[in-house]
């Protein structure tokens, strides 16, 4: 109960701050120097937050689609030999730092959201792939035998048995990817993407700690909300599947 109250309080505080940031100016004023503005006003904090979340949501959706597809393919009889290749592909994003991906993508895609999406997409593949793989391969043999005995086709077993049972573990991978992507997306502002990194970078350039705190605070609160939101969803799904 205490945890839910704390999450509700964080949500209310975040919404109030994004809707009316100037109301909280006295809170950040002690962190400014030489009468610098306490609240970032070059862009709307609300619009930057929505743009940031949109980039993360698109990247997580794309990573999940590709990673789950690969996990399904390599857990079928005909695709098991491609498991090492699939692991290599999904590990690319973890091998190259997001900054390096941005540097390589900008000459091809130009400045803006494109390079950031590519970096987040690649960075998010591995957690979803490994969790989807674990969920699909660690199921009880009795469940598979029961599905075979009931006359289900391979497609029916996948969609009606295997994927539903793997869903809690898959959601855990998506949670990890979403939280990582949320923090990583801040670097997108270095290539002109509209993210909360703009606020942090502006604070670093102008030595205005208030700006840095605002950008970091918004990202941090949203990360906590996403983490516990996914975790709660995982528990609900697990209980419904009899895995709780």
């Amino acid at each position: 109960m205490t945890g839910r109250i704390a999450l509700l309080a964080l949500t209310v505080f975040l919404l109030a701050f994004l809707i009316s940031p100037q109301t909280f100016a006295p809170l950040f004023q002690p962190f400014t120097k030489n009468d610098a503005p306490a609240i970032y006003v070059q862009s709307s904090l609300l619009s930057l937050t929505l743009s940031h979340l949109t980039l993360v949501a698109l990247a997580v959706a794309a990573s999940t689609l590709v990673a789950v597809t690969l996990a399904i393919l390599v857990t079928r009889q005909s695709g098991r030999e491609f498991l090492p290749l699939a692991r290599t592909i999904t590990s690319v994003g973890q091998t190259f730092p997001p900054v390096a991906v941005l540097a390589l993508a900008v000459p091809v895609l130009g400045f803006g959201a494109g390079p950031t999406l590519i970096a987040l997409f690649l960075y998010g593949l591995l957690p979803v792939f490994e969790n989807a793989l674990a969920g699909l391969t660690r199921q009880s043999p009795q469940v598979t035998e029961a599905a075979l005995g009931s006359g289900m086709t391979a497609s029916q077993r996948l969609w009606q048995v295997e994927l539903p049972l793997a869903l809690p573990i898959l959601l855990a991978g998506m949670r990890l990817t979403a939280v990582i992507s949320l923090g990583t997306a801040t670097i997108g502002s270095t290539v002109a993407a509209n993210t909360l990194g703009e606020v942090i970078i502006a604070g670093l350039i102008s030595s205005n700690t208030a700006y840095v705190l605002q950008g970091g605070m918004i990202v941090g609160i949203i990360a906590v909300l996403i983490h516990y939101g996914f975790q709660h969803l995982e528990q609900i799904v697990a209980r419904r599947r009899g895995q709780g």
Side-chain angles (χ1 to χ4, degrees):
M1 178 61 74
T2 304
R4 292 183 180 180
I5 293 174
L7 290 175
L8 180 60
L10 280 176
T11 303
V12 171
F13 172 77
L14 178 62
L15 290 174
F17 178 72
L18 292 176
I19 292 171
S20 181
Q22 290 296 340
T23 305
F24 296 85
L27 183 64
F28 293 95
Q29 193 64 53
F31 300 98
T32 63
K33 295 179 180 179
N34 303 320
D35 296 323
I39 301 296
Y40 185 77
V41 294
Q42 281 79 356
S43 298
S44 165
L45 290 174
L46 178 59
S47 65
L48 285 176
T49 301
L50 293 175
S51 176
H52 191 109
L53 289 175
T54 299
L55 281 174
V56 171
L58 289 174
V60 171
S63 297
T64 299
L65 178 62
V66 173
V68 171
T69 300
L70 285 174
I72 292 172
L73 290 175
V74 299
T75 52
R76 305 305 98 181
Q77 187 66 39
S78 58
R80 287 176 182 171
E81 60 185 288
F82 296 105
L83 177 57
L85 176 61
R87 277 210 163 104
T88 299
I89 292 172
T90 56
S91 298
V92 168
Q94 303 289 330
T95 303
F96 294 97
V99 174
V101 176
L102 288 178
L104 293 172
V106 166
V108 178
L109 300 175
F111 289 90
T116 306
L117 277 173
I118 295 298
L120 296 181
F121 163 73
L122 292 175
Y123 211 59
L125 283 173
L126 187 62
V128 179
F129 175 76
E130 290 295 341
N131 277 51
L133 192 64
L136 290 170
T137 56
R138 296 179 186 176
Q139 296 180 4
S140 170
Q142 289 83 358
V143 173
T144 304
E145 291 173 5
L148 286 170
S150 65
M152 285 186 173
T153 64
S155 178
Q156 288 174 328
R157 291 198 303 273
L158 173 65
W159 291 102
Q160 298 179 27
V161 178
E162 295 179 44
L163 284 178
L165 288 176
L167 187 55
I169 301 178
L170 173 58
L171 287 171
M174 291 177 65
R175 167 166 51 89
L176 181 58
T177 290
V179 172
I180 291 175
S181 296
L182 187 72
T184 306
T186 55
I187 67 170
S189 292
T190 60
V191 293
N194 291 322
T195 74
L196 290 164
E198 176 183 323
V199 186
I200 297 173
I201 293 171
L204 293 173
I205 292 174
S206 63
S207 298
N208 191 335
T209 306
Y211 289 175
V212 179
L213 289 175
Q214 286 161 45
M217 179 193 72
I218 296 171
V219 172
I221 291 176
I222 294 175
V224 170
L225 295 177
I226 288 176
H227 172 79
Y228 282 101
F230 265 102
Q231 197 171 62
H232 183 61
L233 184 58
E234 291 164 35
Q235 293 169 353
I236 291 174
V237 173
R239 283 197 298 267
R240 290 183 177 178
R241 301 289 183 273
Q243 300 168 329

